[in-house]
Short mmCIF file of all heavy atoms in Angstrom, two decimals:
data_model
loop_
_atom_site.label_atom_id
_atom_site.label_comp_id
_atom_site.label_asym_id
_atom_site.label_seq_id
_atom_site.Cartn_x
_atom_site.Cartn_y
_atom_site.Cartn_z
N LEU A 14 99.86 -43.68 52.47
CA LEU A 14 98.95 -43.19 53.50
C LEU A 14 99.49 -41.94 54.18
O LEU A 14 98.74 -41.01 54.50
CB LEU A 14 98.69 -44.28 54.54
CG LEU A 14 97.68 -45.37 54.15
CD1 LEU A 14 97.59 -46.41 55.23
CD2 LEU A 14 96.31 -44.76 53.89
N PHE A 15 100.81 -41.92 54.42
CA PHE A 15 101.42 -40.75 55.05
C PHE A 15 101.30 -39.53 54.14
O PHE A 15 101.05 -38.42 54.61
CB PHE A 15 102.89 -41.03 55.39
CG PHE A 15 103.10 -41.61 56.76
CD1 PHE A 15 102.29 -42.63 57.22
CD2 PHE A 15 104.11 -41.15 57.59
CE1 PHE A 15 102.47 -43.17 58.48
CE2 PHE A 15 104.30 -41.68 58.85
CZ PHE A 15 103.47 -42.70 59.30
N VAL A 16 101.50 -39.75 52.85
CA VAL A 16 101.36 -38.63 51.90
C VAL A 16 99.92 -38.12 51.92
O VAL A 16 99.67 -36.90 52.00
CB VAL A 16 101.76 -39.06 50.48
CG1 VAL A 16 101.44 -37.94 49.48
CG2 VAL A 16 103.25 -39.39 50.41
N VAL A 17 98.97 -39.04 51.83
CA VAL A 17 97.55 -38.65 51.84
C VAL A 17 97.22 -37.92 53.12
O VAL A 17 96.54 -36.89 53.13
CB VAL A 17 96.66 -39.89 51.65
CG1 VAL A 17 95.18 -39.53 51.86
CG2 VAL A 17 96.85 -40.49 50.27
N ASN A 18 97.72 -38.46 54.26
CA ASN A 18 97.45 -37.85 55.56
C ASN A 18 97.99 -36.43 55.66
O ASN A 18 97.31 -35.52 56.15
CB ASN A 18 98.09 -38.68 56.67
CG ASN A 18 97.08 -39.29 57.60
OD1 ASN A 18 97.25 -40.40 58.08
ND2 ASN A 18 96.00 -38.58 57.87
N SER A 19 99.22 -36.25 55.21
CA SER A 19 99.81 -34.91 55.26
C SER A 19 99.05 -33.96 54.35
O SER A 19 98.72 -32.83 54.74
CB SER A 19 101.28 -34.96 54.82
OG SER A 19 102.04 -35.75 55.70
N LEU A 20 98.77 -34.40 53.15
CA LEU A 20 98.12 -33.53 52.18
C LEU A 20 96.68 -33.20 52.55
O LEU A 20 96.23 -32.07 52.36
CB LEU A 20 98.16 -34.16 50.79
CG LEU A 20 99.53 -34.26 50.12
CD1 LEU A 20 99.40 -34.91 48.75
CD2 LEU A 20 100.17 -32.89 49.97
N ASP A 21 95.94 -34.18 53.09
CA ASP A 21 94.54 -33.88 53.39
C ASP A 21 94.42 -32.89 54.54
O ASP A 21 93.60 -31.96 54.51
CB ASP A 21 93.71 -35.15 53.63
CG ASP A 21 94.04 -35.89 54.92
OD1 ASP A 21 94.95 -35.48 55.64
OD2 ASP A 21 93.38 -36.92 55.18
N SER A 22 95.29 -33.03 55.56
CA SER A 22 95.26 -32.09 56.68
C SER A 22 95.55 -30.67 56.22
O SER A 22 94.85 -29.72 56.58
CB SER A 22 96.29 -32.50 57.74
OG SER A 22 96.08 -33.82 58.18
N LEU A 23 96.58 -30.54 55.41
CA LEU A 23 97.03 -29.21 55.01
C LEU A 23 96.13 -28.61 53.92
O LEU A 23 95.94 -27.40 53.86
CB LEU A 23 98.48 -29.27 54.56
CG LEU A 23 99.42 -29.79 55.65
CD1 LEU A 23 100.85 -29.86 55.15
CD2 LEU A 23 99.33 -28.95 56.91
N THR A 24 95.57 -29.49 53.07
CA THR A 24 94.61 -29.01 52.09
C THR A 24 93.38 -28.44 52.80
O THR A 24 92.87 -27.37 52.43
CB THR A 24 94.18 -30.14 51.14
OG1 THR A 24 95.33 -30.63 50.45
CG2 THR A 24 93.16 -29.65 50.13
N ARG A 25 92.94 -29.15 53.82
CA ARG A 25 91.79 -28.65 54.59
C ARG A 25 92.14 -27.31 55.25
O ARG A 25 91.30 -26.40 55.30
CB ARG A 25 91.39 -29.67 55.66
CG ARG A 25 90.14 -29.28 56.40
CD ARG A 25 89.58 -30.41 57.25
NE ARG A 25 88.34 -29.97 57.90
CZ ARG A 25 87.16 -29.97 57.33
NH1 ARG A 25 87.02 -30.42 56.09
NH2 ARG A 25 86.09 -29.55 57.98
N LEU A 26 93.37 -27.16 55.72
CA LEU A 26 93.78 -25.92 56.38
C LEU A 26 93.79 -24.75 55.42
O LEU A 26 93.17 -23.71 55.67
CB LEU A 26 95.17 -26.11 57.01
CG LEU A 26 95.78 -24.89 57.68
CD1 LEU A 26 94.91 -24.42 58.84
CD2 LEU A 26 97.20 -25.20 58.16
N TYR A 27 94.49 -24.90 54.27
CA TYR A 27 94.60 -23.73 53.39
C TYR A 27 93.28 -23.40 52.70
O TYR A 27 92.98 -22.24 52.42
CB TYR A 27 95.75 -23.88 52.39
CG TYR A 27 95.49 -24.69 51.14
CD1 TYR A 27 94.70 -24.21 50.10
CD2 TYR A 27 96.10 -25.93 50.96
CE1 TYR A 27 94.48 -24.95 48.95
CE2 TYR A 27 95.90 -26.67 49.81
CZ TYR A 27 95.08 -26.18 48.81
OH TYR A 27 94.87 -26.92 47.66
N THR A 28 92.45 -24.43 52.42
CA THR A 28 91.16 -24.12 51.79
C THR A 28 90.25 -23.35 52.74
O THR A 28 89.49 -22.47 52.30
CB THR A 28 90.45 -25.40 51.31
OG1 THR A 28 90.34 -26.32 52.40
CG2 THR A 28 91.20 -26.04 50.16
N GLN A 29 90.32 -23.66 54.03
CA GLN A 29 89.54 -22.89 55.00
C GLN A 29 90.09 -21.48 55.15
O GLN A 29 89.34 -20.52 55.30
CB GLN A 29 89.53 -23.61 56.35
CG GLN A 29 88.70 -24.89 56.35
CD GLN A 29 88.70 -25.59 57.70
OE1 GLN A 29 89.61 -25.43 58.49
NE2 GLN A 29 87.66 -26.36 57.95
N ASN A 30 91.43 -21.37 55.10
CA ASN A 30 92.06 -20.06 55.25
C ASN A 30 91.69 -19.09 54.12
O ASN A 30 91.52 -17.89 54.35
CB ASN A 30 93.59 -20.20 55.27
CG ASN A 30 94.10 -20.75 56.60
OD1 ASN A 30 93.35 -20.86 57.58
ND2 ASN A 30 95.37 -21.10 56.63
N ILE A 31 91.59 -19.63 52.90
CA ILE A 31 91.36 -18.72 51.76
C ILE A 31 89.97 -18.85 51.17
O ILE A 31 89.66 -18.24 50.14
CB ILE A 31 92.42 -18.93 50.65
CG1 ILE A 31 92.39 -20.37 50.11
CG2 ILE A 31 93.81 -18.61 51.18
CD1 ILE A 31 93.42 -20.62 49.00
N GLY A 32 89.12 -19.64 51.82
CA GLY A 32 87.72 -19.70 51.41
C GLY A 32 87.40 -20.62 50.25
O GLY A 32 86.30 -20.55 49.69
N LEU A 33 88.33 -21.52 49.89
CA LEU A 33 88.05 -22.47 48.80
C LEU A 33 87.46 -23.76 49.37
O LEU A 33 87.98 -24.85 49.17
CB LEU A 33 89.34 -22.77 48.02
CG LEU A 33 89.98 -21.59 47.28
CD1 LEU A 33 91.27 -22.03 46.61
CD2 LEU A 33 89.01 -21.02 46.25
N THR A 34 86.38 -23.62 50.11
CA THR A 34 85.81 -24.74 50.84
C THR A 34 84.78 -25.51 50.01
O THR A 34 84.27 -25.01 49.00
CB THR A 34 85.14 -24.25 52.13
OG1 THR A 34 84.10 -23.32 51.78
CG2 THR A 34 86.14 -23.53 53.03
N VAL A 35 84.45 -26.70 50.49
CA VAL A 35 83.41 -27.50 49.84
C VAL A 35 82.08 -26.76 49.88
O VAL A 35 81.32 -26.76 48.90
CB VAL A 35 83.28 -28.86 50.55
CG1 VAL A 35 82.10 -29.64 49.98
CG2 VAL A 35 84.56 -29.67 50.40
N GLU A 36 81.80 -26.10 51.02
CA GLU A 36 80.53 -25.39 51.17
C GLU A 36 80.39 -24.27 50.14
O GLU A 36 79.29 -24.00 49.65
CB GLU A 36 80.42 -24.82 52.59
CG GLU A 36 80.30 -25.85 53.69
CD GLU A 36 81.62 -26.54 54.03
OE1 GLU A 36 82.69 -26.03 53.60
OE2 GLU A 36 81.57 -27.60 54.68
N ARG A 37 81.50 -23.64 49.81
CA ARG A 37 81.45 -22.52 48.88
C ARG A 37 81.47 -22.98 47.42
O ARG A 37 80.76 -22.44 46.57
CB ARG A 37 82.63 -21.59 49.14
CG ARG A 37 82.70 -20.39 48.20
CD ARG A 37 83.91 -19.54 48.48
NE ARG A 37 84.05 -18.48 47.49
CZ ARG A 37 85.10 -17.67 47.42
NH1 ARG A 37 86.09 -17.79 48.29
NH2 ARG A 37 85.16 -16.75 46.49
N LEU A 38 82.29 -23.98 47.12
CA LEU A 38 82.51 -24.38 45.73
C LEU A 38 81.65 -25.55 45.28
O LEU A 38 81.42 -25.74 44.08
CB LEU A 38 83.98 -24.75 45.52
CG LEU A 38 85.02 -23.66 45.78
CD1 LEU A 38 86.43 -24.23 45.60
CD2 LEU A 38 84.81 -22.48 44.84
N GLY A 39 81.19 -26.35 46.25
CA GLY A 39 80.60 -27.63 45.88
C GLY A 39 81.70 -28.67 45.75
O GLY A 39 82.84 -28.33 45.39
N ILE A 40 81.39 -29.91 46.02
CA ILE A 40 82.43 -30.92 46.10
C ILE A 40 83.17 -31.14 44.78
O ILE A 40 84.38 -31.35 44.74
CB ILE A 40 81.87 -32.26 46.64
CG1 ILE A 40 83.03 -33.20 47.03
CG2 ILE A 40 80.94 -32.92 45.64
CD1 ILE A 40 82.59 -34.38 47.86
N GLY A 41 82.46 -31.06 43.66
CA GLY A 41 83.09 -31.29 42.36
C GLY A 41 84.14 -30.24 42.04
O GLY A 41 85.28 -30.56 41.70
N ARG A 42 83.76 -28.97 42.13
CA ARG A 42 84.72 -27.89 41.84
C ARG A 42 85.83 -27.84 42.89
O ARG A 42 86.98 -27.53 42.55
CB ARG A 42 83.99 -26.56 41.76
CG ARG A 42 83.20 -26.38 40.48
CD ARG A 42 82.76 -24.94 40.29
NE ARG A 42 81.82 -24.53 41.34
CZ ARG A 42 81.42 -23.27 41.51
NH1 ARG A 42 81.88 -22.30 40.73
NH2 ARG A 42 80.54 -22.97 42.45
N TYR A 43 85.48 -28.13 44.15
CA TYR A 43 86.50 -28.16 45.21
C TYR A 43 87.59 -29.17 44.88
O TYR A 43 88.79 -28.87 44.94
CB TYR A 43 85.83 -28.51 46.54
CG TYR A 43 86.80 -28.77 47.68
CD1 TYR A 43 87.22 -27.74 48.50
CD2 TYR A 43 87.27 -30.05 47.92
CE1 TYR A 43 88.11 -27.98 49.55
CE2 TYR A 43 88.16 -30.31 48.96
CZ TYR A 43 88.58 -29.27 49.78
OH TYR A 43 89.46 -29.53 50.81
N VAL A 44 87.19 -30.38 44.55
CA VAL A 44 88.15 -31.44 44.27
C VAL A 44 88.97 -31.11 43.02
O VAL A 44 90.20 -31.22 43.02
CB VAL A 44 87.44 -32.80 44.11
CG1 VAL A 44 88.41 -33.86 43.58
CG2 VAL A 44 86.85 -33.24 45.44
N ALA A 45 88.32 -30.67 41.96
CA ALA A 45 89.02 -30.38 40.71
C ALA A 45 90.04 -29.25 40.88
O ALA A 45 91.19 -29.36 40.45
CB ALA A 45 88.02 -30.03 39.62
N LEU A 46 89.63 -28.16 41.54
CA LEU A 46 90.51 -27.01 41.68
C LEU A 46 91.72 -27.32 42.56
O LEU A 46 92.86 -27.02 42.19
CB LEU A 46 89.73 -25.83 42.27
CG LEU A 46 90.54 -24.56 42.55
CD1 LEU A 46 91.15 -24.02 41.26
CD2 LEU A 46 89.66 -23.50 43.22
N ASN A 47 91.49 -27.96 43.71
CA ASN A 47 92.61 -28.24 44.61
C ASN A 47 93.52 -29.33 44.08
O ASN A 47 94.73 -29.29 44.30
CB ASN A 47 92.08 -28.58 46.01
CG ASN A 47 91.56 -27.36 46.73
OD1 ASN A 47 92.33 -26.49 47.11
ND2 ASN A 47 90.25 -27.28 46.88
N TRP A 48 92.96 -30.29 43.36
CA TRP A 48 93.82 -31.29 42.72
C TRP A 48 94.73 -30.61 41.70
O TRP A 48 95.93 -30.90 41.66
CB TRP A 48 92.98 -32.36 42.03
CG TRP A 48 93.84 -33.35 41.28
CD1 TRP A 48 94.43 -34.46 41.78
CD2 TRP A 48 94.26 -33.25 39.91
NE1 TRP A 48 95.18 -35.09 40.81
CE2 TRP A 48 95.10 -34.37 39.65
CE3 TRP A 48 94.00 -32.35 38.87
CZ2 TRP A 48 95.68 -34.61 38.40
CZ3 TRP A 48 94.58 -32.59 37.63
CH2 TRP A 48 95.40 -33.69 37.41
N PHE A 49 94.18 -29.72 40.91
CA PHE A 49 94.98 -29.03 39.90
C PHE A 49 96.08 -28.20 40.54
O PHE A 49 97.24 -28.22 40.10
CB PHE A 49 94.08 -28.14 39.04
CG PHE A 49 94.85 -27.32 38.03
CD1 PHE A 49 95.30 -27.88 36.84
CD2 PHE A 49 95.15 -25.98 38.29
CE1 PHE A 49 96.03 -27.13 35.93
CE2 PHE A 49 95.88 -25.22 37.38
CZ PHE A 49 96.32 -25.80 36.19
N ILE A 50 95.76 -27.44 41.59
CA ILE A 50 96.75 -26.60 42.27
C ILE A 50 97.90 -27.44 42.80
O ILE A 50 99.08 -27.14 42.57
CB ILE A 50 96.08 -25.80 43.41
CG1 ILE A 50 95.14 -24.73 42.85
CG2 ILE A 50 97.15 -25.15 44.30
CD1 ILE A 50 94.29 -24.06 43.92
N LEU A 51 97.56 -28.50 43.52
CA LEU A 51 98.61 -29.30 44.18
C LEU A 51 99.45 -30.09 43.17
O LEU A 51 100.68 -30.13 43.28
CB LEU A 51 97.97 -30.26 45.19
CG LEU A 51 97.40 -29.59 46.43
CD1 LEU A 51 96.69 -30.61 47.32
CD2 LEU A 51 98.49 -28.88 47.22
N PHE A 52 98.80 -30.69 42.19
CA PHE A 52 99.58 -31.48 41.23
C PHE A 52 100.46 -30.59 40.36
O PHE A 52 101.60 -30.96 40.03
CB PHE A 52 98.65 -32.33 40.36
CG PHE A 52 99.39 -33.36 39.55
CD1 PHE A 52 100.15 -34.34 40.16
CD2 PHE A 52 99.33 -33.35 38.16
CE1 PHE A 52 100.84 -35.29 39.42
CE2 PHE A 52 100.00 -34.29 37.40
CZ PHE A 52 100.78 -35.27 38.04
N ALA A 53 99.96 -29.41 40.03
CA ALA A 53 100.79 -28.47 39.26
C ALA A 53 102.02 -28.06 40.05
O ALA A 53 103.13 -27.96 39.50
CB ALA A 53 99.97 -27.24 38.89
N LEU A 54 101.87 -27.88 41.35
CA LEU A 54 103.02 -27.50 42.18
C LEU A 54 103.98 -28.67 42.40
O LEU A 54 105.18 -28.48 42.51
CB LEU A 54 102.55 -26.94 43.52
CG LEU A 54 102.07 -25.48 43.45
CD1 LEU A 54 101.38 -25.07 44.73
CD2 LEU A 54 103.24 -24.54 43.16
N VAL A 55 103.45 -29.89 42.46
CA VAL A 55 104.32 -31.07 42.51
C VAL A 55 105.23 -31.08 41.28
O VAL A 55 106.45 -31.30 41.37
CB VAL A 55 103.50 -32.38 42.57
CG1 VAL A 55 104.40 -33.59 42.33
CG2 VAL A 55 102.80 -32.51 43.91
N LEU A 56 104.65 -30.81 40.13
CA LEU A 56 105.43 -30.77 38.90
C LEU A 56 106.42 -29.62 38.91
O LEU A 56 107.51 -29.72 38.31
CB LEU A 56 104.49 -30.65 37.69
CG LEU A 56 103.53 -31.83 37.47
CD1 LEU A 56 102.67 -31.59 36.24
CD2 LEU A 56 104.28 -33.14 37.36
N SER A 57 106.09 -28.52 39.61
CA SER A 57 107.02 -27.38 39.67
C SER A 57 108.29 -27.76 40.43
O SER A 57 109.38 -27.29 40.09
CB SER A 57 106.34 -26.17 40.32
OG SER A 57 106.25 -26.31 41.72
N PHE A 58 108.17 -28.60 41.47
CA PHE A 58 109.37 -29.08 42.16
C PHE A 58 110.18 -30.00 41.25
O PHE A 58 111.41 -30.03 41.33
CB PHE A 58 108.99 -29.83 43.44
CG PHE A 58 108.74 -28.95 44.63
CD1 PHE A 58 107.45 -28.71 45.07
CD2 PHE A 58 109.79 -28.36 45.32
CE1 PHE A 58 107.21 -27.90 46.18
CE2 PHE A 58 109.57 -27.55 46.42
CZ PHE A 58 108.27 -27.32 46.85
N GLN A 59 109.50 -30.75 40.41
CA GLN A 59 110.18 -31.70 39.53
C GLN A 59 110.89 -30.99 38.38
O GLN A 59 112.00 -31.37 38.01
CB GLN A 59 109.15 -32.70 38.97
CG GLN A 59 109.71 -33.68 37.95
CD GLN A 59 110.60 -34.73 38.58
OE1 GLN A 59 110.59 -34.94 39.78
NE2 GLN A 59 111.37 -35.43 37.76
N PHE A 60 110.27 -29.97 37.81
CA PHE A 60 110.77 -29.42 36.55
C PHE A 60 111.30 -27.98 36.65
O PHE A 60 111.63 -27.40 35.62
CB PHE A 60 109.66 -29.48 35.49
CG PHE A 60 109.23 -30.88 35.15
CD1 PHE A 60 107.96 -31.34 35.46
CD2 PHE A 60 110.12 -31.76 34.53
CE1 PHE A 60 107.57 -32.63 35.15
CE2 PHE A 60 109.73 -33.06 34.22
CZ PHE A 60 108.46 -33.49 34.54
N THR A 61 111.36 -27.43 37.84
CA THR A 61 111.91 -26.08 38.02
C THR A 61 112.92 -26.10 39.15
O THR A 61 113.01 -27.09 39.89
CB THR A 61 110.80 -25.05 38.35
OG1 THR A 61 110.39 -25.23 39.71
CG2 THR A 61 109.62 -25.19 37.41
#
């Protein structure tokens, strides 16, 4: 829950900052794009 809480707050912050919002992308593309960005970076900490 703490991980989800931290990530959802900050995901909402950066998506608003750079315009990758639900209103602009639609919920499907919003979820897919931000999931890909975050999970790819999680792997970057693991493997780089």
Side-chain angles (χ1 to χ4, degrees):
L14 281 177
F15 270 45
V16 173
V17 172
N18 244 144
S19 297
L20 291 180
D21 69 358
S22 304
L23 302 179
T24 300
R25 186 168 182 83
L26 177 61
Y27 82 73
T28 54
Q29 290 180 335
N30 285 349
I31 60 180
L33 296 178
T34 60
V35 174
E36 293 76 14
R37 179 182 174 187
L38 299 177
I40 193 166
R42 285 193 295 171
Y43 172 90
V44 171
L46 177 61
N47 287 290
W48 176 86
F49 176 79
I50 291 171
L51 290 175
F52 191 59
L54 281 170
V55 169
L56 297 181
S57 76
F58 277 105
Q59 176 73 16
F60 296 113
T61 75

